[in-house]
Amino acid sequence: MSAKKVQQPDARAVRMPAAERRELILAAATAVFAERGYVGATTDQVAKAANISQPYVVRMFGTKEKLFLEALDRAMGKLMGSFRSVIADYDGGRLAEKVAALDPAKGDSREIQLKQLMSLAYADLVQDRGILLMLMQSFISGHEPVIGARAREGFVDIYRLVRDEAGLGEEMTRDFLAHGMLMNTLISLRLTDLYGQDSSVTELLECTMGVKLPLLLAHDAPP
Amino acid sequence: MSAKKVQQPDARAVRMPAAERRELILAAATAVFAERGYVGATTDQVAKAANISQPYVVRMFGTKEKLFLEALDRAMGKLMGSFRSVIADYDGGRLAEKVAALDPAKGDSREIQLKQLMSLAYADLVQDRGILLMLMQSFISGHEPVIGARAREGFVDIYRLVRDEAGLGEEMTRDFLAHGMLMNTLISLRLTDLYGQDSSVTELLECTMGVKLPLLLAHDAPP
DNA sequence: GTCTATAAGATGATAGAC
DNA sequence: GTCTATCATCTTATAGAC
């Protein structure tokens, strides 16, 4: 027998600058909260996903609630950042190629084109399940005193962005948000995983997602 | 001082037939699950809401999971029942009065009228927050092995109802579901509670809910 | 039909070592 | 910067009395 004690390779995580570790934990937390929700997720699951110890998670963020809030801010930031760059790129004329590829049957006003481009950006963002599910989880946390308040603020921010910065009119804003919510639902229900396996599900997805479907079927791949 | 020991009025619940008690517990469970979600809700909260002891809740339904499933079936049943009676009443010509009150600008095909009537029925159902939030909670439980599967079935059932029984076409089905999801989100976020208090929220609600708004502002009143 | 007592297992957070 | 040990709660579920 070897005199050396057998050690698990990841028993102690590699040292790492705090900022980097933070982002790593936030990414792990996003995935866990996305699946299990605020109440359902445990700090231990987050720790395991980030390959560190549970007390360290708490040490770094103070409380589970603060961790959730930071993960939520991060998700909101990515979503709004994505929309803002679409708007900026469109208005800066840097999306001519993508605009040309849009369905011309849907008209060609700025409003309509921007709505289509933002839908595509949204579908693209959704490929990281975590971000969108994180938002979804916040949307159903209205009863939580702190998280609920932040979630409402976030939703209003998104509305203002779509309405004022993108400049979509009333009807288009409503439709844009509504279809986004439907997409979120299909993804969090995991119906998208059953595409092609069940005829009703397949029909449902093709009916509700339309052209965005192919974009949704790529799954998260491990790094 | 009185010699009589002070007793809490509801320390021991009144005896009651099992079936009646079941429905009472299910109604309580619906409210609790609606607010806190499957993982977040505790059997003790349900017990307190139903004014009975926690072990009795478990005794009656076996497990928390089974309780959730029964509450979910009940909610699904009410939703589908509500839609089915709209369809039956419409096709039986018993809704002439309501049809006359519809927005004529939106056309007058069977499809369009039915969609409007079902939206109204939905908005009506929503006045019981519990039912809709219960469904919402199931929609984000896709990762739960048993509950997730049931939730997917339920969503597909709703789709088939709208598509086949109501006979709405592809586009109308998509819109109907999408706006339903948006409505759910606004309600579970509790944005509806802030109507009239914050100008952005008020604008957002009027933009997204349109004509259905007045129906949403009545809250559950205690019996 | 309904309760009290309680077992058995999580879970969030703290203390303090390395 | 990161861990181990551990506390105090909370939560589901069981046993058994009334």
Side-chain angles (χ1 to χ4, degrees):
Chain A
M1 274 82 90
S2 151
K4 219 173 192 173
K5 202 163 143 196
V6 176
Q7 289 254 337
Q8 310 208 348
D10 292 328
R12 179 169 284 260
V14 211
R15 280 177 83 87
M16 179 180 302
E20 197 176 327
R21 180 64 81 192
R22 273 186 87 79
E23 167 57 20
L24 212 145
I25 300 181
L26 280 177
T30 300
V32 174
F33 281 131
E35 287 288 86
R36 319 275 325 243
Y38 170 58
V39 206
T42 71
T43 52
D44 195 47
Q45 291 165 341
V46 174
K48 286 195 169 65
N51 239 293
I52 53 171
S53 72
Q54 178 265 330
Y56 189 29
V57 173
V58 175
R59 160 75 58 112
M60 196 143 216
F61 291 90
T63 63
K64 176 169 138 175
E65 189 177 66
K66 284 180 187 161
L67 175 58
F68 187 92
L69 288 174
E70 292 220 33
L72 177 55
D73 281 350
R74 179 172 169 276
M76 285 279 180
K78 292 205 183 207
L79 180 68
M80 309 217 4
S82 160
F83 286 166
R84 288 205 168 103
S85 52
V86 169
I87 298 170
D89 286 350
Y90 180 88
D91 288 335
R94 288 182 294 275
L95 290 181
E97 211 171 292
K98 282 200 177 180
V99 168
L102 293 179
D103 186 355
K106 293 194 177 171
D108 55 359
S109 73
R110 173 185 185 274
E111 249 190 283
I112 292 178
Q113 292 185 336
L114 211 38
K115 184 192 163 203
Q116 290 184 73
L117 291 167
M118 285 169 69
S119 289
L120 287 174
Y122 192 67
D124 212 42
L125 200 71
V126 160
Q127 303 213 42
D128 176 356
R129 263 199 150 99
I131 301 294
L132 264 297
L133 284 180
M134 185 78 221
L135 296 172
M136 268 295 259
Q137 294 290 358
S138 84
F139 294 160
I140 59 150
S141 298
H143 73 280
E144 296 278 342
V146 183
I147 294 176
R150 186 74 64 92
R152 282 185 283 277
E153 279 173 39
F155 196 89
V156 172
D157 287 347
I158 295 172
Y159 170 75
R160 291 253 71 93
L161 170 55
V162 175
R163 197 72 203 270
D164 302 336
E165 297 182 40
L168 300 199
E170 185 172 317
E171 195 183 331
M172 218 155 280
T173 299
R174 171 173 46 238
D175 286 355
F176 180 74
L177 293 177
H179 288 101
M181 294 304 122
L182 178 54
M183 226 164 109
N184 290 351
T185 305
L186 300 174
I187 291 163
S188 65
L189 254 181
R190 303 199 160 201
L191 277 171
T192 42
D193 294 353
L194 271 61
Y195 182 70
Q197 289 173 37
D198 174 294
S199 66
S200 255
V201 172
T202 305
E203 182 194 323
L204 160 57
L205 288 172
E206 287 177 345
C207 169
T208 51
M209 303 298 325
V211 71
K212 294 185 215 77
L213 194 56
L215 287 162
L216 279 172
L217 297 176
H219 290 118
D220 296 353
Chain B
M1 273 80 97
S2 151
K4 221 174 190 174
K5 199 164 145 198
V6 175
Q7 289 252 338
Q8 309 208 349
D10 293 329
R12 178 169 285 260
V14 210
R15 280 177 82 87
M16 177 179 305
E20 195 175 329
R21 181 64 81 191
R22 273 186 88 78
E23 167 57 21
L24 212 145
I25 299 181
L26 280 177
T30 299
V32 175
F33 281 130
E35 286 288 87
R36 318 276 325 240
Y38 169 57
V39 205
T42 71
T43 52
D44 195 49
Q45 291 165 340
V46 173
K48 286 197 168 65
N51 239 295
I52 55 173
S53 71
Q54 179 267 330
Y56 189 30
V57 173
V58 176
R59 160 75 56 113
M60 197 143 216
F61 291 89
T63 63
K64 175 170 136 173
E65 189 177 66
K66 284 179 187 161
L67 175 59
F68 186 91
L69 288 173
E70 292 220 35
L72 178 54
D73 282 350
R74 178 172 170 277
M76 285 278 180
K78 292 207 181 204
L79 180 68
M80 309 216 5
S82 160
F83 285 167
R84 288 206 167 101
S85 54
V86 170
I87 299 170
D89 285 351
Y90 180 87
D91 288 336
R94 289 183 292 276
L95 290 180
E97 210 170 292
K98 282 199 177 180
V99 168
L102 294 179
D103 186 354
K106 294 195 176 171
D108 54 1
S109 72
R110 179 195 123 97
E111 250 189 284
I112 292 177
Q113 290 185 338
L114 210 40
K115 183 191 162 202
Q116 290 183 74
L117 291 167
M118 285 169 69
S119 289
L120 287 174
Y122 192 67
D124 211 41
L125 200 71
V126 161
Q127 303 213 43
D128 176 356
R129 263 198 151 103
I131 301 292
L132 264 295
L133 284 180
M134 186 78 221
L135 296 172
M136 269 296 260
Q137 295 289 358
S138 84
F139 295 160
I140 59 148
S141 299
H143 73 280
E144 296 278 342
V146 183
I147 293 176
R150 185 75 64 91
R152 282 185 284 277
E153 279 173 40
F155 196 88
V156 172
D157 288 346
I158 294 173
Y159 170 74
R160 291 252 70 93
L161 170 55
V162 175
R163 198 70 203 271
D164 303 336
E165 297 182 41
L168 300 199
E170 185 172 318
E171 195 185 330
M172 219 156 278
T173 300
R174 171 173 45 239
D175 286 354
F176 179 73
L177 293 177
H179 287 102
M181 293 305 121
L182 178 54
M183 227 165 109
N184 290 351
T185 305
L186 300 174
I187 292 161
S188 64
L189 254 180
R190 304 198 159 201
L191 276 171
T192 41
D193 293 353
L194 270 62
Y195 182 71
Q197 289 174 37
D198 174 294
S199 66
S200 255
V201 171
T202 304
E203 181 194 324
L204 160 57
L205 288 172
E206 287 178 346
C207 168
T208 52
M209 304 299 325
V211 71
K212 295 185 213 76
L213 194 56
L215 286 162
L216 280 171
L217 298 176
H219 291 121
D220 297 351

